[in-house]
Amino acid sequence: MMMLTLYWAFFQVGLFAFGGGLAALPLIREQVVVIHPWLDMAAFTDLVTIAEMTPGPIALNAATFVGNRVGGVAGAVVATLGCITPSLIIVLILARLYSVWRDKAAFAGVLSGLRPAAVALIASAGMSIAILALFGEAGAISLQAMDLVSLMCFGAALFLLRKFKTSPILIIFGAGIAGAAIKLAFNIP
Amino acid sequence: MTAKPLRLSTLFLSVLKISAFTFGGGYVIVPLMRKRFSEDLQWVKEEEMLDMIAIAQSAPGPIAVNTSIILGYRLLGIKGALASVLGTAIPPLLVLTLISMFYEAFRANRWIAALLGAMRAGVAAVIVDVVWTMAANITKKRKATPIILMIAAFIAVFIFKVNIILVLLFCGFLGFLDAMRSSLKEAKP
């Protein structure tokens, strides 16, 4: 019964979280703090921190974390499945429509409007991450708040990507290791 | 360069690897997927990749999950979609299960905090690089409508925080009107 409740709670998170990423957070909070007594607010805040600094979508990270607390490893699997079921159903329907209608003029028109929007959305998310990386959590954009080590890592990473098409995974880890080594070696906060 | 043979195992392992390194939320998966599936394997065209991202955006649920479902379905049907969504879900499941066990130690470690902070700079560079390439693909066609849409959508989302679904609906509708207008022009003698 517990497993069913867990599945249904994360099914709703998957079903109503439009826009991805942080958009899922209020829904997760509603399910795991307000409706069900699975986490208190402090544990929820920790969950967000962990979800942000580990790989994978935030909703799946949250599902695993909460599932583990409620029902061990089986709970983690059940919550994850609940979270991906709505996507599986809805996206497969859309994918089917796409492969049937792609060449119809009206549908092609809709797609030609969506393509620039997709680029804009990625750019907007990129800006938010860049601001976080270069100016820190406080979000104050000023020269004093600028993290020079991160700026150097960012510049070097962008240069390598544009000039040599270096693998993104190598770039992310390279930037992490180089930045952390510089900061700890010179004791920069 | 020729396209690599289409295999279920290659799809699964590629998605698994990408999911294991998508720090910083759903948008980071987009550049990694584009690089792997359009550039390295050449299984999908750049333009199709953008269509899939737009469709993944318009459905609820994590972007990374949605993109991997639609990509898997487009390449190898239902079994492709299932392999691809499993590949996406497994890494967060493993990582978060481990972390929820060693949560306190993980949070307090200074090295890990510095590493994760500096990795964000790398993530930001990866996104800037991919936006640069995608925006160049749109501007080089020298059509006014997509370029205006791209800039307007960015301003709406990043500065005015307009709901993403509204932006996508609006852009899709404008693209539809544009297509109808040009087909009407052709129909007239």
Side-chain angles (χ1 to χ4, degrees):
Chain A
M1 196 55 214
M2 197 54 176
M3 290 296 167
L4 211 61
T5 316
L6 200 57
Y7 181 87
W8 179 235
F10 278 94
F11 185 93
Q12 291 174 67
V13 171
L15 185 59
F16 296 116
F18 277 95
L22 298 169
L25 279 184
L27 291 159
I28 299 169
R29 198 187 80 91
E30 175 85 5
Q31 288 294 333
V32 307
V33 181
V34 181
I35 299 180
H36 304 289
W38 291 331
L39 297 183
D40 58 21
M41 207 46 212
F44 178 77
T45 312
D46 287 341
L47 159 66
V48 177
T49 316
I50 294 174
E52 287 258 45
M53 54 194 214
T54 46
I58 289 175
L60 290 191
N61 289 342
T64 306
F65 188 85
V66 176
N68 255 310
R69 292 204 151 197
V70 177
V73 175
V77 173
V78 165
T80 300
L81 287 178
C83 197
I84 60 181
T85 312
S87 290
L88 209 51
I89 298 168
I90 294 168
V91 175
L92 281 180
I93 294 171
L94 290 176
R96 186 93 198 100
L97 291 179
Y98 172 68
S99 57
V100 176
W101 286 352
R102 184 164 29 142
D103 299 323
K104 299 261 191 300
F107 197 66
V110 172
L111 289 174
S112 75
L114 288 180
R115 270 176 218 141
V119 176
L121 291 180
I122 300 168
S124 165
M127 281 296 277
S128 307
I129 293 180
I131 289 171
L132 186 68
L134 300 181
F135 298 99
E137 316 273 349
I141 301 176
S142 67
L143 272 179
Q144 287 84 15
M146 178 100 102
D147 183 337
L148 290 175
V149 177
S150 287
L151 183 67
M152 267 160 39
C153 290
F154 174 82
L158 191 60
F159 174 76
L160 289 173
L161 282 165
R162 296 305 301 175
K163 188 86 184 165
F164 303 107
K165 299 196 174 299
T166 315
S167 145
I169 292 171
L170 210 64
I171 286 289
I172 294 173
F173 271 96
I177 291 168
I182 295 171
K183 281 191 176 176
L184 293 170
F186 296 100
N187 214 9
I188 303 167
Chain B
M1 277 231 308
T2 47
K4 305 279 186 302
L6 194 58
R7 281 203 202 95
L8 197 63
S9 56
T10 315
L11 172 69
F12 176 75
L13 290 175
S14 302
V15 176
L16 187 80
K17 198 171 138 201
I18 291 171
S19 177
F21 293 103
T22 46
F23 288 84
Y27 285 96
V28 184
I29 210 170
V30 173
L32 297 177
M33 281 197 164
R34 192 197 64 92
K35 173 118 181 118
R36 179 71 182 149
F37 292 102
S38 298
E39 260 178 46
D40 300 351
L41 297 169
Q42 304 197 11
W43 286 353
V44 283
K45 289 195 212 89
E46 170 99 31
E47 200 157 82
E48 262 183 289
M49 199 72 216
L50 270 184
D51 290 348
M52 289 191 233
I53 295 162
I55 294 169
Q57 292 276 348
S58 354
I63 312 268
V65 172
N66 293 354
T67 313
S68 67
I69 293 172
I70 193 165
L71 182 81
Y73 180 77
R74 159 76 184 73
L75 293 172
L76 290 160
I78 296 282
K79 66 174 196 280
L82 290 176
S84 174
V85 77
L86 263 184
T88 307
I90 288 173
L93 201 55
L94 290 180
V95 173
L96 259 285
T97 301
L98 273 179
I99 287 178
S100 44
M101 290 172 183
F102 304 105
Y103 167 46
E104 295 301 328
F106 183 81
R107 239 188 107 197
N109 190 299
R110 202 165 148 247
W111 263 97
I112 290 179
L115 186 71
L116 292 168
M119 278 167 80
R120 281 187 197 141
V123 170
V126 168
I127 299 187
V128 169
D129 172 55
V130 86
V131 167
W132 190 329
T133 308
M134 286 174 149
N137 281 342
I138 286 187
T139 49
K140 80 180 172 204
K141 286 183 186 153
R142 303 207 164 274
K143 277 199 227 152
T145 321
I147 298 175
I148 294 168
L149 271 186
M150 182 167 69
I151 296 168
F154 177 78
I155 293 171
V157 173
F158 187 71
I159 297 173
F160 296 106
K161 313 277 174 217
V162 177
N163 186 305
I164 290 169
I165 302 297
L166 282 181
V167 172
L168 285 171
L169 280 176
F170 186 72
C171 289
F173 183 65
L174 278 185
F176 172 77
L177 285 185
D178 209 38
M180 290 299 99
R181 203 190 52 184
S182 33
S183 65
L184 273 179
K185 255 188 215 159
E186 278 163 28
K188 273 181 194 162

